[in-house]
């Protein structure tokens, strides 16, 4: 966070530390992220303290909101949860003891990490625009021909949904932090009653690791997305005006293209896809309504990323490969690092690297042979998904479970019962 702040000062714009400090007393930059972080912090408290903290956060937020509106400011929220989250940290550190203190501080830490990560991400996007003037959209758009140009196809689906459907998909896309908080709260719902109930792995861990790793590739493979590179939103830098109404160009001589210095280069990989897939995976252990929630959020996110022109289809495949690789490294830590995990993590890493290299150096071949190219692009990710399923979800006693190394886990569980 300090490093990104120094970089922001070097480039002459507000960094994450300044932004975070201003959110305490000035107009918050976001509404959902502070409340999502606050929701994670409440996980470490018992029900009585949760209620007190929630009422305090709502009350403070209303006071700040009214003061802003009365002086002609913006109608928004976000001060209250940040202030109360900080108060919980101070009170827990100073007055509480033992497991009660440890549980509260762990919840606060997860909540604070989510808020801090969002601040760093905003600054990082600005840095990506300044430090990467050339973008590679011509390459990925050409590679996307092997997938049938899914961004343009999803755009037609969005048109068919109408204004109400589009508003719902848009809400799903931008409120992903709230959805993650709800699933994480369900996973960790027993923690407040039992300070020792923190599981060895949960959704927040995956979210944070993805947030650390994924954005690094924005600088390695800078893209701005179809809506900017091929649409009027490119403000004169676009290759063509084929978005949203035309056909994507089929140019077999792709070149890096100069773009503006303020549009984020945040397409490769699609972090929304990676996070939504992580949410979907972690919802699988819940009841039907949690599984349905995870499924709806994943499908809605995929439609939004493509239909609004934020991503190419290959971005989504890269995001899925990254998510499965990270989740494979973190899931079931009690099983250790046997061959079952090593082959999955190494295979996912190799696949992710191969994806980036092929999008950059083989887009012409992918576009000229779409049947083979599409099969390889989708088939390799599907194979990684099958291996992930076999390793962590296959039915006990099946051949997939044996291949995935779950036989040892079953034997250990049987011995524990005996």
């Amino acid at each position: 966070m300090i490093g990104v702040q120094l970089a922001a000062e070097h480039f002459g714009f507000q960094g994450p530390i300044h932004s975070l400090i201003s959110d305490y007393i000035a107009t918050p930059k976001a509404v959902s992220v502070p409340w999502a972080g606050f929701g994670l912090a409440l996980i470490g408290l018992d029900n009585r303290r949760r209620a007190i903290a929630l009422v305090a956060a709502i009350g403070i937020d209303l006071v700040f909101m009214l003061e802003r509106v009365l002086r002609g400011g913006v109608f928004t929220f976000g001060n209250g949860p940040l202030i109360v989250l900080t108060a919980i940290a101070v009170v827990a550190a100073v007055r509480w003891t033992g497991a009660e203190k440890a549980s509260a501080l762990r919840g606060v830490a997860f909540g604070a990490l989510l808020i801090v990560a969002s601040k760093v991400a905003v600054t990082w996007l600005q840095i990506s625009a300044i430090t990467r003037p050339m973008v590679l959209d011509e390459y990925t758009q050409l590679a996307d021909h092997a997938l049938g140009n899914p961004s343009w196809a999803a755009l037609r689906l969005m048109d068919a949904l109408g204004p109400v459907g589009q508003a719902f998909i848009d809400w799903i896309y931008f409120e992903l932090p709230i959805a993650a908080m709800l699933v994480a709260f369900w996973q960790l719902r027993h923690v407040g009653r039992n300070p020792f109930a923190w599981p060895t792995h949960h959704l927040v861990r995956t979210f944070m690791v993805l947030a650390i790793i994924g954005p690094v590739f924005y600088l390695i493979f800078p893209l701005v997305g179809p809506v900017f590179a091929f649409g009027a939103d490119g403000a004169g830098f676009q290759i063509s005006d084929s978005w949203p109404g035309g056909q994507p160009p089929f140019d077999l001589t792709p070149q890096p293209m100069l773009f503006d210095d303020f549009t984020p280069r945040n397409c490769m990989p699609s972090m929304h896809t990676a996070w939504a897939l992580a949410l979907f995976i972690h919802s699988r252990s819940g009841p039907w309504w949690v599984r349905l929630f995870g499924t709806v959020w994943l499908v809605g996110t995929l439609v939004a990323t493509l239909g609004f022109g934020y991503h190419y289809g290959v971005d989504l495949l890269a995001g899925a490969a990254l998510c499965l690789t990270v989740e494979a490294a973190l899931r079931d830590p009690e099983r250790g690092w046997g061959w079952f995990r090593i082959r999955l993590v190494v295979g996912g890493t190799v696949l992710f690297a191969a994806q980036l290299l092929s999008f950059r150096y083989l887009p012409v071949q992918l576009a000229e042979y779409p049947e083979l190219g599409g099969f390889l692009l989708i088939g390799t990710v599907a194979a990684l998904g099958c291996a992930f399923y076999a390793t962590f979800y296959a039915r006990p006693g099946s051949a997939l479970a044996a291949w995935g190394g779950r036989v040892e886990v079953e034997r250990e569980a049987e011995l524990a019962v005996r």
Side-chain angles (χ1 to χ4, degrees), residues 30-38 111 114-116 118-119 175 177-178:
V31 177
S32 60
V33 172
W35 276 102
F38 178 67
L114 178 63
I115 296 172
V116 168
S118 71
K119 295 295 182 183
E175 299 306 329
I178 293 294

Side-chain angles (χ1 to χ4, degrees), residues 331-338 340-341 391-392 404-406 409:
R331 180 166 287 271
D332 294 351
E334 59 277 359
R335 293 174 63 181
W337 274 81
F340 72 92
R341 190 187 306 275
T391 304
F392 299 107
R406 291 177 59 82
V409 177

Side-chain angles (χ1 to χ4, degrees), residues 56-72:
I58 293 174
I60 294 173
D61 230 5
L62 288 174
V63 170
F64 271 87
M65 182 273 294
L66 288 173
E67 186 274 335
R68 268 192 300 271
V69 171
L70 290 175
R71 61 179 172 83

Side-chain angles (χ1 to χ4, degrees), residues 394-403 407 410:
R395 180 175 55 84
S398 65
L400 273 178
W403 183 87
V407 176
E410 296 163 21

Side-chain angles (χ1 to χ4, degrees), residues 117-129:
S118 71
K119 295 295 182 183
V120 172
V122 171
T123 308
W124 187 258
L125 295 181
Q126 293 177 281
I127 292 174
S128 74

Side-chain angles (χ1 to χ4, degrees), residues 245-398:
Q247 292 294 321
F250 190 77
D251 184 0
L252 295 179
T253 58
Q255 298 290 331
M257 55 180 286
L258 179 67
F259 217 77
D260 60 43
D261 59 357
F262 54 83
T263 301
R265 278 59 166 163
N266 62 336
C267 292
M268 181 64 74
S270 169
M271 293 308 300
H272 264 80
T273 297
W275 283 319
L277 180 57
L279 187 152
F280 172 82
I281 292 172
H282 282 264
S283 70
R284 295 303 90 192
S285 58
W288 69 268
W289 56 270
V290 175
R291 298 195 301 272
L292 178 61
F293 181 83
T295 302
V296 169
W297 221 274
L298 174 61
V299 173
T301 300
L302 296 180
V303 172
T305 54
L306 293 172
F308 288 124
Y310 301 142
H311 287 281
Y312 304 94
V314 292
D315 304 343
L316 275 61
L317 293 178
L322 178 63
C323 172
L324 291 172
T325 304
V326 169
E327 184 66 24
L330 299 176
R331 180 166 287 271
D332 294 351
E334 59 277 359
R335 293 174 63 181
W337 274 81
W339 174 241
F340 72 92
R341 190 187 306 275
I342 294 173
R343 66 188 177 189
L344 199 56
V345 174
V346 172
T349 302
V350 171
L351 172 59
F352 182 71
Q355 287 176 326
L356 298 190
L357 290 172
S358 65
F359 302 155
R360 175 62 176 83
Y361 296 107
L362 298 174
V364 174
Q365 289 78 5
L366 291 171
E368 287 186 321
Y369 304 97
E371 294 83 3
L372 177 61
F375 174 78
L376 290 175
L377 291 177
I378 297 174
T380 50
V381 175
L384 180 62
C386 290
F388 182 90
Y389 177 84
T391 304
F392 299 107
Y393 284 97
R395 180 175 55 84
S398 65

